[in-house]
Amino acid sequence: MAATRYRRFLKLCEEWPVEETKRGRDLGAVVRQRVAQAFREGESTQIADPATCDQMYESLVRIHTNFYKNKYPRLKDTSFTGVTVEECKLVLASVASSKVKKGLGSYQ
């Protein structure tokens, strides 16, 4: 049964996108690292608590598939600040240009 769990986690890691703009703090990279640590022996890894392992997998799948974003859609694509999703992504990017940061300086 550990082999099946291992393959499911590997498939999830393959599907999870890599966010190049968030180097060093990308959730996908952290998930890959934790899966590698948890399954050091690959398919032959012994799982101490299979129920917790399955619960973690299901939680990660919900995050990956935007389950709650789709279940509770937002009415608008902006927040109270008026900043758009694209502008937020630029500000939060690890390698954001100084021009973008200066342009949105009042929101930092």
Side-chain angles (χ1 to χ4, degrees):
M1 199 64 169
T4 303
R5 286 184 177 91
Y6 176 65
R7 282 189 227 113
R8 289 190 325 172
F9 273 100
L10 279 183
K11 187 173 190 289
L12 179 64
C13 288
E14 289 173 2
E15 293 175 359
W16 204 294
V18 176
E19 193 73 40
E20 290 296 328
T21 61
K22 296 181 183 175
R23 287 200 179 114
R25 53 191 184 91
D26 177 39
L27 182 59
V30 172
V31 169
R32 287 177 185 82
Q33 181 183 25
R34 295 279 175 97
V35 168
Q37 288 173 351
F39 291 95
R40 286 187 187 122
E41 299 171 20
E43 292 183 358
S44 61
T45 301
Q46 297 297 318
I47 298 173
D49 188 359
T52 301
C53 181
D54 292 341
Q55 186 178 26
M56 286 182 190
Y57 173 78
E58 294 300 328
S59 296
L60 288 171
V61 167
R62 284 192 297 272
I63 293 170
H64 172 62
T65 60
N66 292 319
F67 178 81
Y68 292 105
K69 179 183 176 186
N70 297 330
K71 185 174 180 179
Y72 304 105
R74 295 179 56 131
L75 300 176
K76 297 182 180 182
D77 288 334
T78 62
S79 65
F80 72 96
T81 62
V83 177
T84 65
V85 174
E86 292 77 24
E87 291 170 330
C88 284
K89 285 182 180 181
L90 288 174
V91 170
L92 294 174
S94 297
V95 291
S97 69
S98 59
K99 183 178 179 182
V100 171
K101 287 186 178 181
K102 286 179 186 175
L104 297 173
S106 61
Y107 296 109
Q108 294 179 353

